[in-house]
Amino acid sequence: MAVDVLTLSIVVAIYLLMIVGIGYYGYRKTKVAEDYMVAGRNTHPVVIALSYGATFISTSAIVGFGGVAANLGMGLIWLTVLNIGVGIFIAFVFFGKKIREAGKRLSAYTFPDLMGKSYKSPFLQYVSGIIIILSMPIYTAAILIGGARFIEVTLSIPYETALLGFALIVGAYVVFGGLIAVMHTDALQGAIMLIGMSALLLLTYIHLGGVVEANTALTNMAHLVPEGLAAAGHNGWTAMPTFGSPIWMTLITTMVLGVGIGVLAQPQLIVRFMTAKDDKSLHRATLIGGPFILMMTGVAFTVGALTNVYFYQQSGEIAITAAGGNIDSIIPLFITQSMPDVFVIIFMLTLLCAAMSTLSSLYHTMGTALACDVWGRGRECALSLSVNRRGIIIMMVISILVAFLLPGSIIARATVIFMGLCASAFLPAFVNGITSKSPCIIGAKASLLAGALVWFLWTVFVHAAESSVLGLSQFIFGVPSLLGQPWSACNPLVIALPVSLIVMVLFQIRHNRRMA
C-alpha cells in the first residue's frame, strides 16, 4: 500500500503543478476587469467547450447522480438526452450567440450584470446577485462534499481535512488567476475526465462479463428492489418507474427536468458564452461539447445502475445497502473495491478534475456576484480586481461552512435545488431580455419574483424531500407536506417555471401593445 500511496502522491503532485502553472498563466494574463471576469472575450473554441462541459459535469453528476442511478435505475439516462439536446445544442446554437452579442454590446461582466443591463434595471442586477449569493453556496458545498468523500475513502484521511485542503487548493488559483485561469484549468481537467470516464465504462463492463451479460444480470435483479421503493413505483433498474408514481415524479420532474432545463439558466455556464470571440467559436465548441457530455453523464448513470450487479455478486446486497444507505458513497465504494489500484488513482484524478472544474467556476461566479453586482453595484469598486478577489474568498469560506452543515446523500439533491431555483427565477426573464427588441422591465421583475416565490413556497410546504426536512409545514400546519402523492414528489420547477413564464409573456404582450 505504501507504493500505491507514493504513486498517487506523485500523480497528484504532477497534476497540481500543472494547475499551479495554468493559474500563474492566468495571473500574468489578467490585467483588467474584462480579463478577470470574462477571460478577455477571446477564448479558443476548444477551451470554451471543455470548460463549459467540465463546469457542467462535476462530482454531483459522477458521484451524486451516479448514486441516484444506483438507487433508481437507468431511467436517469433521459437526463443525458436533455443535457445534450438542451444543455448543449439549444444552449450553444440558439442562446449562445445572443448571449455573446448582448454581453459584448452591453459590456456586461457577470450574469446579473447582463440581466440588469438588458433591461436597464439595477434592481434586476441586484436581486439576481442576491439569489446567487444565497443559493449557490449550497450547490458549491455539494461539490466540495463529493470531492472530499472520495479523497477520504481513497486516502483514508479525515473527511474534514480532505474538505478543507480541497477547497483551499481550488480557491488559490481562482482568486489570483480569474476566469482565464479557471477556463484553461477546466480544459485540462475536462480532457482528464474524458479519459477517466471512458476507462470506467470499459473496465466496468469487463469486470461484469460484458455489455449483454451485465445488463441482463441487472434486469434479472428486479425482484430485489426494496419493498418501499417497489411500492412507490420502482420496477427494476433497467425499467422506467410506473407512470405518475412517486418514483416516476422524482426521476422525471426532479432529476431529469430539474437539471435538464435548469442548465439553461446557470450563471456560471452563461458567462462561458460571453468569453467567445465570435459566433464561429460557439459553433465549433458545440461539436466538442455534445460528445463530451454524452461520455460524462451517460457513463456515470450507466455505471451507477450497474453497481447493483457488482455488489450483489460480491456480497448479496444491492448498492444502497452495501453503501450503508448513503447514496453519495456508492460510486466511491464501487471504485475502491472493484477497480485495480492504478485505476483508483486515475479515477481519483478524474473526480478531482470534475470537482475542481465546477468548484472553481462557482467560486468565481459567487465572488463576482458579491463584489460586482451586490456590494459594488453602481460604484467604481465593482470592477476592482482586489475587491472581486476578496468577494471570492468570502464566498469560499461560506461554502466551506455550509459543506460541514449539510447532511448525507445531499449531492444530487443540492444540485437539483440550485438548478431548479435558477430556472424558475431567471430563465423566462433572461431569455426575453436577450431576444426581445424592447423587453418589458416590469414583466421581468414580476417574472423573477413570481418564479422565485412559487419555487420557495412549493419547496417549503409541498415537495416532501425538502419540506419534511425543513419542518416549517409540520410546525405551521401539522403535516410534512400540504399535498399528498404524487404532488408531494413533484419538483418545484415544474410548478414555478410555468408561472414565471406566463407572467413574463403576459406582461411582454401588454408592453408590446402599448409600444405599437
Side-chain angles (χ1 to χ4, degrees):
M1 187 63 186
V3 176
D4 296 333
V5 173
L6 177 61
T7 303
L8 177 58
S9 300
I10 293 173
V11 171
V12 172
I14 294 172
Y15 166 70
L16 291 179
L17 283 174
M18 296 171 69
I19 295 299
V20 169
I22 296 175
Y24 181 71
Y25 166 79
Y27 175 74
R28 291 295 302 270
K29 295 285 287 185
T30 299
K31 306 297 183 184
V32 296
E34 190 172 51
D35 298 330
Y36 193 81
M37 302 175 78
V38 288
R41 304 188 196 273
N42 191 30
T43 307
H44 193 278
V46 174
V47 175
I48 293 174
L50 290 178
S51 177
Y52 182 96
T55 299
F56 185 10
I57 305 302
S58 64
T59 47
S60 174
I62 300 172
V63 175
F65 281 82
V68 170
N71 199 35
L72 301 185
M74 287 188 178
L76 201 58
I77 292 292
W78 281 108
L79 177 52
T80 298
V81 176
L82 256 71
N83 283 342
I84 297 173
V86 176
I88 297 296
F89 184 74
I90 292 179
F92 274 80
V93 175
F94 293 98
F95 291 159
K97 291 185 289 185
K98 293 285 187 179
I99 294 169
R100 186 201 67 79
E101 186 276 329
K104 185 175 181 179
R105 173 171 48 84
L106 299 171
S107 296
Y109 292 93
T110 66
F111 170 77
D113 192 26
L114 181 59
M115 280 280 283
K117 287 178 177 176
S118 294
Y119 288 94
K120 298 182 177 63
S121 169
F123 173 84
L124 287 174
Q125 180 182 2
Y126 184 77
V127 173
S128 298
I130 287 291
I131 290 175
I132 290 172
I133 291 170
L134 293 179
S135 62
M136 192 174 279
I138 299 175
Y139 180 33
T140 307
I143 306 304
L144 277 170
I145 291 171
R149 285 298 181 195
F150 193 77
I151 295 172
E152 174 194 24
V153 172
T154 306
L155 297 182
S156 298
I157 61 177
Y159 167 71
E160 293 78 9
T161 303
L163 192 148
L164 275 174
F166 182 47
L168 293 175
I169 288 171
V170 177
Y173 73 80
V174 178
V175 168
F176 291 104
L179 196 59
I180 292 177
V182 169
M183 293 191 69
H184 283 79
T185 52
D186 285 352
L188 170 65
Q189 290 155 349
I192 295 173
M193 289 163 61
L194 188 59
I195 295 171
M197 295 301 284
S198 300
L200 175 61
L201 181 66
L202 180 63
L203 289 175
T204 297
Y205 273 121
I206 291 175
H207 194 81
L208 298 180
V211 176
V212 175
E213 291 77 6
N215 290 349
T216 300
L218 186 61
T219 300
N220 294 336
M221 289 176 61
H223 66 285
L224 297 173
V225 172
E227 187 175 328
L229 289 178
H234 199 312
N235 295 318
W237 289 277
T238 58
M240 286 294 292
T242 302
F243 178 79
S245 67
I247 296 291
W248 187 91
M249 294 290 282
T250 298
L251 183 68
I252 298 301
T253 68
T254 296
M255 302 300 169
V256 175
L257 294 180
V259 176
I261 295 177
V263 65
L264 289 176
Q266 291 296 287
Q268 72 277 12
L269 297 180
I270 288 171
V271 172
R272 282 357 185 220
F273 300 124
M274 295 164 64
T275 69
K277 179 181 179 180
D278 50 34
D279 291 346
K280 185 181 295 184
S281 298
L282 295 177
H283 293 156
R284 292 173 179 173
T286 307
L287 300 176
I288 301 170
F292 181 85
I293 296 297
L294 174 63
M295 285 304 300
M296 294 300 105
T297 60
V299 170
F301 304 158
T302 299
V303 171
L306 289 173
T307 58
N308 288 285
V309 178
Y310 170 78
F311 287 117
Y312 185 69
Q313 291 176 349
Q314 297 298 313
S315 61
E317 298 176 321
I318 61 173
I320 188 65
T321 305
N326 189 347
I327 288 175
D328 297 341
S329 297
I330 292 175
I331 295 297
L333 187 64
F334 170 70
I335 298 299
T336 54
Q337 288 191 8
S338 68
M339 297 295 166
D341 289 346
V342 64
F343 182 76
V344 173
I345 295 173
I346 294 173
F347 191 74
M348 180 180 179
L349 193 60
T350 299
L351 273 188
L352 282 175
C353 290
M356 290 176 76
S357 57
T358 302
L359 194 59
S360 61
S361 298
L362 297 178
Y363 279 170
H364 186 271
T365 302
M366 290 187 299
T368 54
L370 175 62
C372 178
D373 303 306
V374 178
W375 175 258
R377 182 182 58 84
R379 296 188 291 171
E380 187 177 346
C381 66
L383 299 182
S384 166
L385 297 185
S386 61
V387 171
N388 278 277
R389 283 171 176 150
R390 290 171 197 161
I392 292 172
I393 293 172
I394 291 171
M395 296 309 300
M396 178 180 71
V397 172
I398 292 174
S399 299
I400 293 172
L401 294 176
V402 173
F404 281 117
L405 297 174
L406 289 180
S409 299
I410 192 64
I411 297 177
R413 187 155 299 281
T415 303
V416 170
I417 288 173
F418 176 69
M419 291 193 175
L421 173 58
C422 285
S424 301
F426 297 145
L427 189 55
F430 175 67
V431 172
N432 188 62
I434 62 173
T435 58
S436 176
K437 293 181 178 179
S438 177
C440 178
I441 299 175
I442 298 176
K445 293 177 180 178
S447 174
L448 187 152
L449 294 176
L453 179 61
V454 172
W455 180 92
F456 175 78
L457 293 175
W458 194 272
T459 298
V460 173
F461 295 109
V462 179
H463 197 223
E466 288 84 40
S467 64
S468 59
V469 175
L470 295 172
L472 195 58
S473 178
Q474 183 72 46
F475 177 76
I476 297 176
F477 301 106
V479 291
S481 172
L482 292 182
L483 298 178
Q485 296 286 5
W487 293 107
S488 61
C490 180
N491 189 265
L493 168 78
V494 177
I495 307 298
L497 180 57
V499 171
S500 179
L501 178 61
I502 290 170
V503 170
M504 185 72 254
V505 170
L506 291 178
F507 271 95
Q508 187 62 46
I509 291 175
R510 181 185 177 190
H511 175 75
N512 290 344
R513 287 176 177 173
R514 286 183 173 182
M515 296 295 291

